[in-house]
Amino acid sequence: MDIVESIVDIPIQDPPEEDFSSADLSWTKFGTSEHHDDVALIPYSRVDSFIIGECCNVECPTRFHIERGRKRSKGSLKEYKNDAYLEYRLYWCSFGPENYGEGGGVLPSRRYRLNTRNRAARPQSMRGCTCHFVVKRLYARPSLALIIYNDRRHVNKSGFICHGPLDRDAIGPGAKKIPYICNEIQQQTMSMIYLGIPEESVLEKHIEGIQRYCGSNPNVNTLASQYVQKLGMIIRRSTHELDLDDQASIRMWVERNKKSIFFYQDSSETDPFILGIQTEWQLQQMIRFGHRSLMAADSTFGIKRLKYPLCTLLVFDSRQHALPVAWVITRSSAKPDVAKWMKALLDRAQGIEIGWKISGFLIDDAAAEIDPIRQDSWRYFVVLSPFPCGVIWDEGDAFASLEELSQDFVDQTAFIEYFKASWVPKLEMWLSTMKTLPLASQEASGAIEAYHVKLKAKLFDDSHLGALQRVDWLVHKLTTELHSSYWLDRYADESDSFQNVKEEYIASTSWHRALQIPDSAVTLDDKEHLFAKVLSQKDSSLTHLVWNPGSEFAFCDCAWSMQGNICKHIIKVNMMCASCEGYKPSMSFQSLKDVLMNLSKIPMDDSVALDQSVAWTHQMLDQIKQLVELSRSNNIGAVVSNLPLKWVLKRGRTFTGIPSSTLALPLASDTSTQNATARKKNRKRKRLSRLR
């Protein structure tokens, strides 16, 4: 076959089938005599059809994931070649590129090796498949995509078929009859088993998922039942102790789960132990919900009870619930150590989405190092304040308030001793931090608290108290039960299935529970604003009393609030106080006002810098207005129709909606006439081509 050196000489192919594969295309060798690749040129709009067709390979059914991607903006290159890319994506078979089963070791789809002749199923496990291709959206012609197929065979480095019905080691003697189980079905089944759902319900949902691919078949149902039973047996018999020595056990786990680790540093004389865990699903959620949004850190968990404290990085999902997207296990909070894993996490996200960045970072510890966050270009920071420091800071005179607090709780000896030992030495640090950084809202605090409570319930069970000093046990609990719980929550909400799981997930935060309380159930003290009464929704004869209403430091007499948590009654009362006169605004809203006031004071009066500050402030207020409108609206269509005008195409320009900050220039009449004439000519050419 001749080698083509110019992309202009490659024909454009558009197969008539709805989905097509590499077998339906004619491949051209493109490059030089020393280095050339098999390429094909197709319309960019047909790329998804090509990927679907490749996934439906009968001999090796699979899915392709984006291993690497890059983007350029139009007009960023002054000089470019004819094969320069506007978008670049490397697609790899999901059974590669790593090979976790090399040498007959333990496969990632099970925790130990079965003592049977026929091996267990391992769908979607890493088997070292080398099949991959590149899709380049051409810079010069954005409507076309150049497909570069580097390796079309689904084989490992040794040249053997490594998955699918032709793989002799895949599932056993019935491999050709086993239906394809995608990653979503497998994760759903594993999550349900980890959460203790009865096997009958697990099997029913598993069969429903398989039937979406291969239809109803009695033989498939039998094989699915065997698969669920075997997977359940593997999970029940799995153990966190890969070795009696905890450190050696962690090294073995790290070696087998490289895909789920973004940073690892073993302990030595100079370096502390650091383990950063993030599964592929967590990475997807971080990119999806963290981009231009908020991230939070729950960094003070297990300081006294665990061998190494646990720091969790959270994002806020579509319901503003805190979703764990990474876990960091380490005892070190030094700036160089924090900078290491912070940079590794940011590099991992930007390796998938090059322009990924967050808008803010919430911390829960005044002693936390924020310099590494600033160095990694994460913009601004919010600190969560504890109750005692807030009371003292709110009073103004710290020493007088401290003395008054001691007198009020003079009969609570244990509490005063704990307060003086744990909080008095930190008061000055907390007060200075709270005055320097903006403060978080109650919705964010309640979401983080809900995660903290769930984490505590999963880990600090009485049956696990003997294993708290082992890191491998902590890693096992996080990556199995806790990860499965949040995966199933998100899946139930997005697919509208598992209604009981979805309802529990929605009501898991105090903020969402507060929204269910009607306004008529709340009675405010209109005279002195000292208290508020909230009628219980479960027992109409019970009334809860909320003291210090309208403040983040209000407290309620309900059992949940008495344990030091943010209850739904306090949040509901504060919601109503925000719209009433005589109550102070929330501290988070006051922080926003302070930022805006400081922004107006920085530039010199009657200067260009002042004009820039005004423009930035109005732009930010417009974005806040749209965000609030979007979060409160039940009709997304009504919100979209009111958004500012954005000119994407000349065709269909309108001036409906609120005025845009960009001036809209009217179209010249002669230009519209030329466009109409050009459209008529194009229609005539299409008719002539059809007649020919």
Side-chain angles (χ1 to χ4, degrees):
M1 182 183 294
D2 296 333
I3 299 175
V4 176
E5 297 184 356
S6 176
I7 202 171
V8 181
D9 300 328
I10 301 176
I12 302 173
Q13 303 178 64
D14 191 2
E17 295 84 6
E18 183 178 357
D19 300 325
F20 61 95
S21 64
S22 59
D24 302 317
L25 297 175
S26 299
W27 296 89
T28 306
K29 292 192 178 296
F30 171 71
T32 62
S33 56
E34 291 80 18
H35 177 75
H36 51 268
D37 298 302
D38 291 340
V39 301
L41 204 59
I42 65 171
Y44 181 76
S45 58
R46 300 297 308 278
V47 170
D48 290 339
S49 301
F50 173 77
I51 295 174
I52 293 172
E54 282 298 285
C55 293
C56 298
N57 190 336
V58 178
E59 295 182 352
C60 298
T62 184
R63 284 190 176 185
F64 286 87
H65 66 271
I66 300 176
E67 185 74 14
R68 198 179 306 119
R70 294 189 292 270
K71 289 183 180 180
R72 290 191 179 115
S73 58
K74 189 66 176 176
S76 59
L77 298 179
K78 295 182 178 179
E79 298 180 2
Y80 52 89
K81 298 180 180 179
N82 54 11
D83 63 337
Y85 67 87
L86 187 64
E87 293 179 13
Y88 172 97
R89 286 186 175 180
L90 171 62
Y91 289 87
W92 207 292
C93 173
S94 292
F95 289 89
E98 291 85 2
N99 188 356
Y100 287 176
E102 214 166 36
V106 179
L107 300 176
S109 59
R110 56 177 178 268
R111 299 291 175 180
Y112 68 99
R113 185 154 187 170
L114 294 174
N115 294 323
T116 58
R117 185 173 183 180
N118 299 325
R119 295 186 177 183
R122 47 173 177 76
Q124 290 297 103
S125 58
M126 300 291 103
R127 299 303 295 152
C129 184
T130 59
C131 180
H132 63 284
F133 59 89
V134 172
V135 175
K136 292 170 64 174
R137 188 177 187 179
L138 297 180
Y139 188 91
R141 294 186 285 177
S143 61
L144 298 180
L146 181 69
I147 301 177
I148 306 172
Y149 225 130
N150 304 101
D151 197 337
R152 271 183 273 178
R153 299 183 305 156
H154 291 269
V155 297
N156 55 24
K157 292 182 179 180
S158 301
F160 297 105
I161 296 175
C162 54
H163 64 91
L166 300 180
D167 181 10
R168 293 178 297 177
D169 296 330
I171 304 174
K176 295 182 180 180
K177 302 177 182 178
I178 293 292
Y180 173 66
I181 303 175
C182 69
N183 193 33
E184 181 181 285
I185 300 175
Q186 184 190 13
Q187 184 64 55
Q188 172 188 304
T189 306
M190 292 175 62
S191 299
M192 296 176 70
I193 295 174
Y194 276 123
L195 297 177
I197 297 176
E199 188 173 302
E200 294 78 12
S201 302
V202 177
L203 179 60
E204 180 183 353
K205 291 294 182 182
H206 184 77
I207 292 177
E208 288 179 4
I210 291 179
Q211 287 178 352
R212 294 200 302 264
Y213 289 88
C214 55
S216 180
N217 189 334
N219 188 36
V220 169
N221 296 348
T222 303
L223 296 172
S225 177
Q226 296 175 2
Y227 173 81
V228 171
Q229 291 177 0
K230 187 172 291 187
L231 188 61
M233 178 188 66
I234 293 170
I235 290 176
R236 285 190 297 270
R237 293 184 181 181
S238 63
T239 177
H240 60 274
E241 291 187 1
L242 302 178
D243 193 276
L244 294 178
D245 180 61
D246 186 37
Q247 195 170 4
S249 180
I250 282 295
R251 290 196 195 101
M252 294 175 65
W253 186 90
V254 168
E255 189 64 28
R256 296 173 182 176
N257 296 273
K258 294 180 180 178
K259 231 10 177 178
S260 300
I261 296 169
F262 69 89
F263 186 81
Y264 175 65
Q265 177 178 281
D266 205 349
S267 60
S268 63
E269 295 181 357
T270 57
D271 298 322
F273 173 82
I274 303 175
L275 176 60
I277 303 172
Q278 185 184 58
T279 65
E280 291 187 37
W281 178 76
Q282 287 179 309
L283 176 60
Q284 294 170 4
Q285 305 310 305
M286 186 177 78
I287 294 174
R288 176 185 176 187
F289 294 114
H291 181 53
R292 297 191 179 277
S293 185
L294 297 175
M295 285 190 70
D298 179 25
S299 60
T300 58
F301 187 85
I303 293 178
K304 295 182 179 179
R305 304 182 70 177
L306 296 176
K307 182 178 180 180
Y308 292 103
L310 173 66
C311 174
T312 306
L313 297 182
L314 307 161
V315 295
F316 298 94
D317 61 15
S318 55
R319 294 189 181 273
Q320 307 305 328
H321 287 26
L323 185 67
V325 293
W327 294 293
V328 181
I329 303 173
T330 183
R331 191 178 288 124
S332 174
S333 58
K335 187 186 301 184
D337 297 324
V338 175
K340 289 179 184 177
W341 61 261
M342 275 280 190
K343 187 178 185 305
L345 184 65
L346 184 63
D347 291 343
R348 192 182 199 204
Q350 292 183 344
I352 302 296
E353 191 67 35
I354 195 168
W356 184 88
K357 60 182 176 181
I358 65 171
S359 297
F361 200 96
L362 281 68
I363 59 175
D364 62 344
D365 188 3
E369 291 288 351
I370 61 176
D371 287 342
I373 306 175
R374 286 172 172 163
Q375 291 171 3
D376 287 337
S377 302
W378 289 357
R379 293 186 178 176
Y380 57 87
F381 322 95
V382 185
V383 60
L384 307 180
S385 57
F387 169 72
C389 297
V391 172
I392 294 171
W393 181 60
D394 200 31
E395 293 290 336
D397 187 350
F399 294 101
S401 300
L402 187 61
E403 183 64 27
E404 185 180 348
L405 182 69
S406 301
Q407 292 177 3
D408 292 341
F409 292 92
V410 67
D411 56 335
Q412 303 292 330
T413 309
F415 169 73
I416 292 297
E417 290 179 356
Y418 160 76
F419 182 77
K420 290 182 177 179
S422 301
W423 287 106
V424 171
K426 304 176 183 177
L427 280 181
E428 185 176 355
M429 174 185 64
W430 272 99
L431 294 179
S432 61
T433 305
M434 292 172 67
K435 292 178 180 179
T436 305
L437 301 179
L439 301 179
S441 64
Q442 280 197 313
E443 183 178 10
S445 301
I448 297 173
E449 180 192 75
Y451 167 77
H452 193 91
V453 170
K454 187 172 185 177
L455 181 64
K456 187 182 295 185
K458 290 287 184 183
L459 297 185
F460 291 162
D461 192 342
D462 293 340
S463 60
H464 302 139
L465 295 181
L468 294 178
Q469 292 300 309
R470 286 190 67 99
V471 182
D472 56 0
W473 170 84
L474 176 61
V475 170
H476 181 76
K477 294 290 288 186
L478 293 175
T479 56
T480 55
E481 293 186 25
L482 192 65
H483 183 275
S484 298
S485 175
Y486 278 97
W487 187 94
L488 196 62
D489 286 344
R490 290 297 310 155
Y491 180 78
D493 186 42
E494 294 182 347
S495 63
D496 198 25
S497 57
F498 302 101
Q499 291 301 319
N500 56 337
V501 176
K502 180 179 179 179
E503 292 173 2
E504 292 179 5
Y505 158 72
I506 294 175
S508 60
T509 65
S510 298
W511 181 272
H512 282 263
R513 292 194 294 269
L515 296 176
Q516 306 305 316
I517 302 177
D519 295 348
S520 58
V522 180
T523 305
L524 299 175
D525 177 21
D526 297 331
K527 295 181 179 180
E528 299 182 358
H529 307 304
L530 295 178
F531 63 89
K533 295 180 180 180
V534 182
L535 185 65
S536 174
Q537 300 302 297
K538 295 182 179 179
D539 186 1
S540 58
S541 62
L542 181 62
T543 301
H544 296 287
L545 200 62
V546 177
W547 293 94
N548 198 17
S551 169
E552 285 86 345
F553 312 111
F555 57 94
C556 179
D557 60 358
C558 69
W560 186 248
S561 180
M562 295 297 285
Q563 295 176 8
N565 301 309
I566 305 173
C567 74
K568 59 183 179 181
H569 310 109
I570 293 176
I571 294 179
K572 180 61 180 181
V573 168
N574 289 350
M575 286 179 181
M576 297 190 62
C577 290
S579 58
C580 297
E581 296 182 359
Y583 293 93
K584 294 181 179 180
S586 65
M587 297 177 68
S588 57
F589 184 75
Q590 186 63 41
S591 298
L592 175 62
K593 291 176 63 177
D594 293 342
V595 170
L596 296 178
M597 291 300 296
N598 293 334
L599 184 64
S600 65
K601 294 176 182 178
I602 291 175
M604 185 184 301
D605 194 17
D606 289 335
S607 64
V608 176
L610 178 61
D611 297 334
Q612 291 176 341
S613 298
V614 172
W616 291 337
T617 304
H618 277 286
Q619 184 180 8
M620 183 169 60
L621 288 175
D622 286 342
Q623 293 178 355
I624 294 174
K625 176 183 175 183
Q626 294 172 12
L627 181 63
V628 172
E629 184 181 3
L630 182 62
S631 62
R632 290 181 177 177
S633 176
N634 294 324
N635 185 4
I636 188 65
V639 178
V640 172
S641 62
N642 291 328
L643 289 177
L645 172 67
K646 285 189 176 181
W647 286 8
V648 180
L649 297 172
K650 291 182 179 180
R651 195 184 316 165
R653 290 179 180 172
T654 61
F655 294 93
T656 59
I658 63 175
S660 174
S661 57
T662 306
L663 294 177
L665 298 177
L667 295 175
S669 58
D670 55 345
T671 306
S672 59
T673 306
Q674 292 175 4
N675 291 340
T677 306
R679 284 196 295 270
K680 289 180 180 179
K681 288 182 178 180
N682 289 336
R683 290 172 186 168
K684 290 179 179 179
R685 288 171 184 168
K686 288 181 180 178
R687 292 194 198 104
L688 290 173
S689 61
R690 290 174 184 171
L691 292 173
R692 290 173 184 174

